[in-house]
C-alpha cells in the first residue's frame, strides 16, 4: 500500500478486518517493522483521538514519531499556487512538503475542508500535494472529504458487536451549532457500501451527500422509519454538500437528535459516533451513557485501524 485515503486502498476488506483483529490480539508482534523508521503526523486542525491513537499505533510498531501542528509554531503556509506571497504566509506548501518528506518514512495528514471552494475541498488539494511532493507514503488522518481511519475503526467495531451476519446500519444526520465537513459520513458510507451490511442513510432534505460516496445506498428522509429494525445507529452532523448551499447549515432541527424514544424503534441497536460529540444536540445523555453506546470501543479501535494501515504502508 503506497497511500491510504479510502476503502479501496485496503484491497480485500474481509482480509483487512481479519488482519486488524489479529493485530488487536497481539499489537506488539510487529515491533520490528518500524524500527529506525519515523512517522510524521502533520496537523492543520485539532485532534484528540487521531493524534493519540496514531502515535500509539506507530509506537506499537517500533516507530519514532514527530508531530507538527502547522498552526502552532510552524511558518504560516500558503497552499494556493500562483499567489504573490506578499501577505502573512512566508512559506509555500510546495517547498514545505518535500522538506517534511526528508525527515520521515511515513506521513499522516489532517487537513479539513475549508468550505471556501468546493472544488479545492473535493479535489483534496492539500492531501494530494502531500502524496505528490513528499516522496513518502501518505495516509489521511481526516482530510477534506474523508476520514478513512475512523471508518475502518467503525467497521472493525461493527464486526466485533454484530449479532447477525448482515446487520442493518443506519447513518443519521443530527443537529449541530457549527458547519461540519462531510468527511466522516462520506468515509462511513464508502466503507459500509463495501461491507456486508444493509446500509441506510437518513437526513433532512438538502443534506444529500456526494453520490461518489452514497453509491446508490438507500436514502430515507423519515428518520423514524429509517431507525425501524436497525442494529447500529451511527450519528453525525454534516453541512450541506449540494450547490448552491455547499458548507452551509440548513437546519438545526432538534427533533433529529438521537434520544431513547428513537432508539426504542430499533432492534435494540448500538449507538455509534466518532467523537467529539455535542451531547443533547447529536445524542441525549441517556443514549450515549447507555450500555448500547459504542463510542469508547470505537475510539479504542482507532489504534487498531491506524496500526493496520501503518503496518501495510511500512511493508
Ligand atoms: N474522531 C476523531 O477523529 O477524533 P479527533 O478529531 O479528536 O482526532
Amino acid at each position: 500500500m503506497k497511500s491510504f485515503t479510502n476503502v479501496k486502498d485496503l484491497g480485500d476488506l474481509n482480509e483487512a478486518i481479519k488482519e486488524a483483529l489479529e493485530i488487536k490480539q497481539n499489537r506488539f508482534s510487529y515491533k520490528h517493522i518500524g524500527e529506525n523508521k519515523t512517522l510524521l503526523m502533520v496537523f492543520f486542525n485539532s485532534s484528540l483521538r487521531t493524534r493519540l491513537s496514531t502515535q500509539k499505533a506507530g509506537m506499537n510498531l517500533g516507530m519514532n514519531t514527530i508531530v507538527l501542528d502547522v498552526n502552532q509554531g510552524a511558518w504560516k503556509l500558503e497552499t494556493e499556487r500562483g499567489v504573490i506571497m506578499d501577505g502573512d504566509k512566508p512559506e509555500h506548501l510546495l517547498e514545505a512538503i518535500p522538506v517534511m518528506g526528508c525527515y520521515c518514512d511515513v506521513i499522516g495528514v489532517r487537513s479539513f475542508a475549508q468550505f471556501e471552494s468546493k472544488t479545492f475541498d473535493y479535489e483534496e488539494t492539500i492531501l494530494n500535494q502531500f502524496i505528490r511532493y513528499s516522496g513518502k507514503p501518505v495516509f489521511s488522518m481526516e482530510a477534506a472529504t474523508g476520514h478513512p481511519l475512523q471508518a475502518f475503526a467503525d467497521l472493525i467495531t461493527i464486526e466485533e458487536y454484530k449479532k447477525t451476519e448482515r446487520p442493518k446500519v443506519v447513518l443519521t444526520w443530527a443537529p449541530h451549532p457549527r458547519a461540519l465537513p462531510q468527511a466522516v459520513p462520506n468515509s462511513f458510507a464508502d466503507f459500509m457500501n463495501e461491507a456486508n451490511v444493509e446500509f441506510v442513510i437518513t437526513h433532512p432534505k438538502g443534506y444529500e451527500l456526494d453520490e461518489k460516496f452514497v453509491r446508490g445506498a438507500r436514502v430515507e428522509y423519515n428518520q423514524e422509519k429509517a431507525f425501524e429494525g436497525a442494529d447500529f445507529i451511527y450519528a453525525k452532523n454534516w453541512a450541506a454538500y449540494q450547490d448552491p448551499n455547499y458548507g452551509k447549515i440548513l437546519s438545526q432541527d432538534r427533533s433529529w437528535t438521537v434520544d431513547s424514544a428513537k432508539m426504542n424503534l430499533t432492534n435494540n441497536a448500538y449507538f455509534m459516533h466518532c467523537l467529539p460529540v455535542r451531547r443533547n444536540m447529536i445524542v441525549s445523555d441517556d443514549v450515549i451513557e447507555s450500555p448500547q453506546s459504542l463510542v469508547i470501543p470505537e475510539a479504542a479501535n482507532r489504534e487498531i485501524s491506524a496500526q493496520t494501515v501503518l503496518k501495510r504502508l511500512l511493508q
Side-chain angles (χ1 to χ4, degrees):
M1 190 160 64
K2 288 191 166 60
S3 60
F4 177 66
T5 63
N6 62 57
V7 68
K8 295 264 186 285
D9 291 326
L10 288 175
D12 184 319
L13 200 50
N14 288 328
E15 281 300 316
I17 294 168
K18 198 168 149 229
E19 187 177 334
L21 293 173
E22 280 167 12
I23 285 171
K24 190 166 181 175
Q25 289 308 310
N26 192 350
R27 55 195 84 191
F28 302 111
S29 56
Y30 297 99
K31 208 164 171 66
H32 57 285
I33 289 178
E35 198 179 4
N36 298 328
K37 303 275 186 195
T38 300
L39 165 64
L40 171 62
M41 303 197 298
V42 182
F43 288 93
F44 289 83
N45 306 95
S46 306
S47 168
L48 187 153
R49 280 143 290 274
T50 304
R51 178 182 301 253
L52 297 179
S53 62
T54 310
Q55 186 159 2
K56 177 70 163 60
M59 285 157 62
N60 293 349
L61 291 167
M63 300 185 84
N64 300 309
T65 310
I66 306 172
V67 180
L68 178 68
D69 285 299
V70 171
N71 298 319
Q72 287 172 13
W75 301 111
K76 268 194 170 182
L77 292 173
E78 178 56 64
T79 55
E80 301 268 9
R81 214 171 150 269
V83 169
I84 297 170
M85 289 174 58
D86 60 355
D88 64 343
K89 296 173 179 168
E91 178 147 28
H92 203 289
L93 199 55
L94 293 178
E95 283 79 55
I97 290 173
V99 168
M100 292 183 214
C102 296
Y103 307 137
C104 64
D105 300 282
V106 181
I107 306 182
V109 181
R110 165 159 288 201
S111 173
F112 290 172
Q114 297 171 11
F115 286 153
E116 285 168 14
S117 156
K118 186 173 178 177
T119 306
F120 184 88
D121 290 342
Y122 269 71
E123 284 182 354
E124 286 290 9
T125 309
I126 292 180
L127 182 67
N128 283 327
Q129 284 180 340
F130 273 88
I131 291 171
R132 194 161 168 197
Y133 298 116
S134 69
K136 294 292 154 67
V138 171
F139 64 101
S140 167
M141 298 196 300
E142 185 171 347
T145 67
H147 196 356
L149 282 179
Q150 180 65 52
F152 188 21
D154 297 331
L155 180 57
I156 294 165
T157 312
I158 289 170
E159 191 63 30
E160 288 177 317
Y161 284 85
K162 73 181 186 185
K163 293 183 187 131
T164 58
E165 194 52 34
R166 192 165 184 272
K168 179 176 176 183
V169 178
V170 178
L171 166 63
T172 181
W173 179 93
H176 194 281
R178 293 183 55 206
L180 297 186
Q182 297 95 21
V184 169
N186 282 346
S187 280
F188 190 71
D190 204 24
F191 273 70
M192 289 306 115
N193 279 321
E194 294 288 326
N196 186 24
V197 302
E198 178 191 345
F199 182 47
V200 179
I201 305 172
T202 184
H203 54 71
K205 286 199 171 149
Y207 278 98
E208 290 77 12
L209 294 163
D210 186 349
E211 186 52 36
K212 177 180 155 192
F213 300 101
V214 173
R215 285 192 262 152
R218 181 180 148 207
V219 176
E220 172 59 66
Y221 294 109
N222 182 328
Q223 190 192 35
E224 294 189 354
K225 202 167 161 201
F227 273 40
E228 285 169 11
D231 299 296
F232 294 88
I233 298 296
Y234 193 97
K236 185 72 184 82
N237 172 268
W238 63 90
Y241 164 75
Q242 302 289 346
D243 292 326
N245 294 317
Y246 178 67
K248 290 190 184 147
I249 296 174
L250 306 181
S251 167
Q252 291 191 330
D253 182 356
R254 296 257 306 276
S255 73
W256 280 77
T257 300
V258 179
D259 60 15
S260 53
K262 301 259 178 64
M263 292 301 284
N264 285 341
L265 299 169
T266 69
N267 182 28
N268 195 27
Y270 289 108
F271 174 80
M272 300 180 75
H273 188 280
C274 61
L275 303 179
V277 70
R278 301 245 182 179
R279 283 177 175 228
N280 304 309
M281 286 292 295
I282 301 276
V283 58
S284 63
D285 286 322
D286 56 344
V287 169
I288 197 169
E289 290 169 4
S290 76
Q292 295 304 97
S293 172
L294 295 183
V295 295
I296 306 305
E298 275 178 271
N301 277 334
R302 290 292 307 277
E303 177 184 341
I304 306 307
S305 65
Q307 190 170 336
T308 308
V309 167
L310 278 174
K311 174 177 168 278
R312 286 178 170 211
L313 289 172
L314 286 168
Q315 284 174 330

